[in-house]
Amino acid sequence: MTDIQSIKETFWKIWNTFSPQMIRHIVHPVILLLVVGTYAFLKSINFYLGWLYLIPVMYCVSIWCTYLAGLKMEDPKDVPALVVSIPIKNKKSKDAKLKKAPKVNFVEASQVCDYVADSRDVSISIGEKASQPENKEGLHWLNKSIEQIWINKRAAVEDIVLNVVWPKVKKILAKLPIKIKIELYSFSLGLVPPHFRRIFVHEVQQEEDSMIIDIDLGFASEAAVKVKIETDVIPRVTLLVDSVYVDVGIRIALRGISKHPPYVQGFEVTLLHQPEIHWNLGDLARMANIAFIDRTIRKLINDNVKILVIPNKLSIPICVVPLPRELGSIMNTDEKAYSESGRIVIPNPEGIVRVVLEKTANIPPMDMTSSLLYPSVLFKSPRRFFTEMFPSKKSSDPYAVVRIGSHEYRTKTVYKELNATFNTTFDIPVYCPLDQHLEIVIYDEDFNTDDIIGKIIERLEDIKDNYSVEKEAKWRGLSNTNNTRAYLKYLWISEQIVDKSSNLDSDGLLAFSCIGIYSTSLCKPKISIKLTDMSDEGHYLTDRSWKAIMAFKELKEFTLSNLSLGLWDLFNLQGGMLRLLKDDTTISIEVEDSLEREDEVGRRKWIGEVAIQHIIERGEEPIELQLSKTYKKKQSFVNKSVKKLSLLAKTMLGTSGGTVLQSEEEESMKIKLQCVVYRDVIKS
């Protein structure tokens, strides 16, 4: 009797060590697994034996579930999950004959995915922390409000587009250098309004004075547009576009939040991914067989939208926004304030992601080949020629693309190789890793469309947390493949601002923005900033050149000032980043003017250089640089004669266009930049 009492005390002592969460999430599933497994085993021996076992067990299970329902659940943060790892038997291994027993481990519930990913064994987890379902009811009121507004204001918006917006668009099209006529016959937004799918506010560190909001917006509409298009290449064709579908993700970041008016220094707008835009061509377009027009329009949209996809962004300082008089009176809006606001436009990089891709293995054959394509094989090996005569998949032409947002880098193609060696390093600047991903995609190069072999996707936040110290390269499997692997490694490199009293003694980053361009004549600039090409024959890929958005206006001066004055353009709100190497000494600046002059051949280029050390010494002060005028084409007698004949022919045909500009004496151009230089900080 004493032994039974001691056993009971020991049992309850052990049982009381289990928390209610462990009983519900670990013990309960194990008990159910044992009950079901025992029933299946007994039933396989004898059918009636299984049922005799099941009747009393069901009574015991009902009592157990009643006990389980009465448990008071506490905060489940510290409840571990049970992970059972079953070793995989590898026939090629020297220890293949040795039997390894399954391992049982208790792992933190939120770290189960990382634990399983690092293990090569088959794992079964119980008690893993599941992600909370998204609360879509919170957006119901917003979507319902948009629906009501859409019903009442849709007709008014359609009328504004047809009678106000479209006439202005026609005037812009008439000024283009190419002949393009578009007549808008009908425009309808449809009855289905756009709706918000997700609004998510990111958690940032307490010391950061910012707020980041992600918005997913969908528009599966019945919108329809009927137009007639005529260009120099395309005859007059009627297009009917309907069933428009748009899926876009937008990130809005508020910067410099404070408790004093105007309470925020500025905000940033960027697209989280390339928007999905689809439409259906109506019957008239299909009958005209103009699918190539459809492809061209899609490509133009994708190319122009790409400049706004993360990490590209538009930054708008609050001091340039037209504000009510009461709020504007308490703000400092002098020239110095606008210069300082330009620093908000400069990207603030958190670090650099370094990817070292050494090689790949077991790439599946994707290309059809035959010995008939190589007649010389007949003389070298007749047997091989006849055995490989029939077309079959023998090899691939792989290359790798590393992508973060809209920034992507491509390696050289390794032809006819299933185990390709790349030995390529990628350095990718990152200014905000939140909810961003690194993609490594292996393609097979073809004549028409390249095929995807497989890909690796990593969260930038995981790379920042786990790879701040350099580690050895290791094999990683590619998704959508059987056994294709890539041998690579990651490294997160932090950045630190270089003090103006020191030098750049290591690799780093240059972040910048254009405050203004000042010219003595009308111009339509497109800015390029470059560093010396040190690509190492394709084995080192990074950002060494940057191009701004081309200006939409024709002005003498473009400056970051109050938006209501109209002296700004989109490139004033756009910043950029370039990878600096230790040996870099200067940066090259080039401003191409898109406006042509009657007495000049080709377009103008204004060029200049500035020393990196000079940028460091200036600190927070902007840099003004006088540019020198050059031309894209040689100003020779022959080229000028051809230009005059071309203008004469256009005049006779009546296609000369609008006002023709003439060059002026003593023309000049000056550019004003805000720059910050960073140096690499690698943890040892």
Side-chain angles (χ1 to χ4, degrees):
M1 193 70 179
T2 308
D3 295 337
I4 296 175
Q5 188 68 23
S6 61
I7 292 172
K8 283 184 178 181
E9 291 177 358
T10 305
F11 171 78
W12 286 112
K13 189 175 181 180
I14 296 173
W15 182 258
N16 290 331
T17 59
F18 292 100
S19 64
Q21 286 78 18
M22 293 183 66
I23 295 173
R24 175 170 290 185
H25 297 296
I26 298 177
V27 178
H28 178 59
V30 171
I31 290 176
L32 292 182
L33 189 64
L34 290 174
V35 169
V36 175
T38 306
Y39 168 71
F41 173 72
L42 294 176
K43 189 178 178 181
S44 64
I45 298 174
N46 187 284
F47 178 80
Y48 297 103
L49 185 62
W51 278 102
L52 287 173
Y53 162 80
L54 191 62
I55 293 171
V57 166
M58 290 300 293
Y59 174 74
C60 296
V61 169
S62 65
I63 296 175
W64 165 254
C65 291
T66 304
Y67 164 76
L68 197 67
L71 291 175
K72 293 183 179 180
M73 303 302 293
E74 299 175 357
D75 189 7
K77 291 182 180 178
D78 299 329
V79 179
L82 177 67
V83 179
V84 181
S85 302
I86 305 172
I88 301 174
K89 190 174 181 181
N90 188 357
K91 296 181 179 180
K92 297 181 180 180
S93 176
K94 297 179 181 179
D95 302 331
K97 296 182 180 180
L98 298 177
K99 293 184 178 180
K100 296 183 179 180
K103 298 179 181 178
V104 179
N105 297 292
F106 287 97
V107 182
E108 187 177 343
S110 59
Q111 302 295 327
V112 172
C113 292
D114 296 334
Y115 177 84
V116 172
D118 294 336
S119 175
R120 296 185 178 181
D121 302 333
V122 176
S123 301
I124 302 172
S125 64
I126 301 174
E128 177 182 350
K129 185 178 180 181
S131 58
Q132 295 295 327
E134 190 175 342
N135 183 16
K136 296 184 179 180
E137 291 297 325
L139 299 176
H140 178 72
W141 68 271
L142 181 59
N143 290 323
K144 199 67 179 177
S145 302
I146 294 173
E147 183 179 346
Q148 293 298 321
I149 296 173
W150 191 265
I151 293 172
N152 296 312
K153 301 298 181 182
R154 178 175 57 87
V157 174
E158 292 173 353
D159 186 62
I160 292 172
V161 171
L162 287 170
N163 300 316
V164 179
V165 177
W166 181 246
K168 294 182 179 180
V169 173
K170 287 182 69 175
K171 290 181 181 180
I172 296 173
L173 294 176
K175 295 180 181 180
L176 294 177
I178 60 173
K179 178 186 175 183
I180 177 169
K181 293 182 180 180
I182 302 178
E183 297 178 15
L184 180 62
Y185 288 118
S186 64
F187 174 75
S188 173
L189 289 172
L191 298 176
V192 181
H195 65 281
F196 288 91
R197 294 177 178 165
R198 185 182 71 126
I199 298 178
F200 181 76
V201 181
H202 287 277
E203 294 183 4
V204 297
Q205 296 180 3
Q206 190 173 2
E207 62 270 14
E208 293 188 20
D209 55 350
S210 61
M211 181 172 67
I212 300 174
I213 306 170
D214 289 350
I215 301 172
D216 288 341
L217 186 66
F219 186 34
S221 72
E222 301 168 348
V225 180
K226 186 177 180 180
V227 296
K228 184 174 285 187
I229 301 177
E230 182 181 1
T231 67
D232 295 330
V233 180
I234 305 169
R236 182 172 291 184
V237 175
T238 302
L239 284 175
L240 177 62
V241 180
D242 55 14
S243 301
V244 178
Y245 172 81
V246 179
D247 182 11
V248 61
I250 304 171
R251 170 169 291 179
I252 300 174
L254 304 181
R255 301 296 185 188
I257 299 175
S258 66
K259 58 184 179 181
H260 303 291
Y263 306 111
V264 64
Q265 292 184 7
F267 57 93
E268 302 170 354
V269 180
T270 184
L271 299 179
L272 291 171
H273 53 78
Q274 189 78 16
E276 291 186 28
I277 304 175
H278 305 285
W279 59 78
N280 179 49
L281 287 177
D283 294 333
L284 295 175
R286 286 197 294 268
M287 290 172 60
N289 191 22
I290 53 171
F292 68 95
I293 300 179
D294 182 48
R295 290 194 298 269
T296 303
I297 294 174
R298 292 178 190 273
K299 186 177 185 303
L300 285 172
I301 292 175
N302 289 332
D303 291 345
N304 285 279
V305 171
K306 191 175 182 180
I307 60 177
L308 298 176
V309 178
I310 200 167
N312 303 319
K313 61 185 176 72
L314 294 179
S315 302
I316 305 174
I318 196 65
C319 69
V320 306
V321 178
L323 297 173
R325 183 179 302 175
E326 293 77 10
L327 188 58
S329 61
I330 61 176
M331 292 180 56
N332 182 18
T333 55
D334 57 9
E335 185 178 353
K336 184 179 179 181
Y338 287 120
S339 297
E340 292 177 353
S341 67
R343 303 191 69 80
I344 300 176
V345 184
I346 303 174
N348 185 16
E350 288 199 26
I352 293 174
V353 173
R354 174 170 291 174
V355 181
V356 181
L357 177 60
E358 297 188 13
K359 55 188 175 181
T360 56
N362 303 325
I363 294 176
M366 307 283 286
D367 297 335
M368 300 292 291
T369 185
S370 169
S371 59
L372 295 174
L373 300 175
Y374 310 98
S376 59
V377 178
L378 176 63
F379 304 99
K380 296 179 180 178
S381 177
R383 181 180 177 182
R384 179 187 171 191
F385 179 84
F386 288 106
T387 55
E388 298 180 1
M389 182 181 298
F390 295 100
S392 61
K393 292 184 178 181
K394 297 287 186 182
S395 65
S396 293
D397 303 324
Y399 66 89
V401 172
V402 176
R403 182 185 300 119
I404 294 179
S406 61
H407 285 197
E408 63 178 36
Y409 313 83
R410 172 182 167 165
T411 66
K412 292 184 177 181
T413 304
V414 182
Y415 293 99
K416 301 188 183 304
E417 184 61 63
L418 299 180
N419 297 294
T421 300
F422 294 105
N423 288 331
T424 303
T425 300
F426 307 84
D427 278 354
I428 310 170
V430 177
Y431 83 91
C432 183
L434 289 176
D435 203 23
Q436 293 300 300
H437 296 83
L438 167 72
E439 290 186 48
I440 304 171
V441 189
I442 307 298
Y443 289 91
D444 172 58
E445 186 179 280
D446 286 327
F447 291 106
N448 45 13
T449 304
D450 296 347
D451 300 321
I452 295 179
I453 297 174
K455 64 173 65 175
I456 298 172
I457 301 178
E458 301 280 359
R459 295 175 69 248
L460 291 187
E461 293 172 272
D462 293 341
I463 295 177
K464 180 182 177 181
D465 295 338
N466 302 323
Y467 294 95
S468 57
V469 179
E470 191 163 0
K471 299 180 181 179
E472 295 292 330
K474 66 178 183 178
W475 289 102
R476 298 177 185 270
L478 275 66
S479 61
N480 303 324
T481 61
N482 290 330
N483 196 27
T484 305
R485 300 175 296 163
Y487 192 68
L488 52 85
K489 62 180 178 180
Y490 307 127
L491 178 62
W492 177 269
I493 303 174
S494 300
E495 296 298 315
Q496 183 182 36
I497 296 178
V498 179
D499 187 77
K500 64 179 183 179
S501 60
S502 59
N503 301 323
L504 181 65
D505 52 3
S506 65
D507 297 345
L509 273 178
L510 173 68
F512 51 85
S513 68
C514 177
I515 297 177
I517 288 181
Y518 310 94
S519 175
T520 56
S521 59
L522 281 178
C523 63
K524 191 176 181 181
K526 186 174 183 180
I527 307 169
S528 301
I529 298 179
K530 302 177 183 178
L531 292 163
T532 308
D533 185 14
M534 302 179 69
S535 57
D536 193 20
E537 298 182 355
H539 294 294
Y540 179 70
L541 301 177
T542 187
D543 291 332
R544 299 282 291 174
S545 63
W546 176 84
K547 290 185 178 180
I549 303 173
M550 186 177 70
F552 291 91
K553 302 176 183 178
E554 299 175 9
L555 299 172
K556 289 185 177 181
E557 293 185 5
F558 295 84
T559 181
L560 190 64
S561 58
N562 195 298
L563 301 183
S564 61
L565 300 178
L567 299 177
W568 62 280
D569 214 308
L570 284 181
F571 69 82
N572 292 122
L573 309 176
Q574 182 191 27
M577 292 185 291
L578 293 179
R579 181 66 164 138
L580 289 177
L581 301 180
K582 186 178 179 181
D583 298 330
D584 289 328
T585 56
T586 60
I587 62 171
S588 301
I589 301 169
E590 178 183 302
V591 180
E592 180 181 334
D593 188 358
S594 300
L595 301 180
E596 293 190 10
R597 271 69 176 175
E598 185 179 9
D599 55 341
E600 295 178 351
V601 180
R603 296 179 178 178
R604 297 175 170 185
K605 284 198 311 181
W606 299 84
I607 60 174
E609 287 188 349
V610 59
I612 295 174
Q613 187 59 37
H614 177 62
I615 296 174
I616 296 173
E617 292 171 355
R618 293 287 293 180
E620 296 186 356
E621 295 295 323
I623 296 171
E624 292 189 3
L625 181 64
Q626 193 71 38
L627 303 177
S628 302
K629 183 171 67 174
T630 60
Y631 298 92
K632 294 191 70 175
K633 290 185 178 180
K634 190 176 181 180
Q635 304 296 304
S636 63
F637 174 76
V638 175
N639 289 338
K640 288 185 176 181
S641 300
V642 172
K643 176 73 178 288
K644 289 182 179 180
L645 291 174
S646 175
L647 291 174
L648 180 62
K650 288 182 179 180
T651 304
M652 294 176 63
L653 294 173
T655 59
S656 57
T659 306
V660 179
L661 297 176
Q662 298 283 345
S663 61
E664 302 175 5
E665 293 183 1
E666 298 182 357
E667 291 180 316
S668 63
M669 179 179 286
K670 183 172 63 174
I671 189 170
K672 192 174 183 181
L673 300 173
Q674 282 275 21
C675 303
V676 180
V677 178
Y678 295 82
R679 63 159 56 92
D680 291 354
V681 179
I682 302 177
K683 296 180 181 179
S684 57

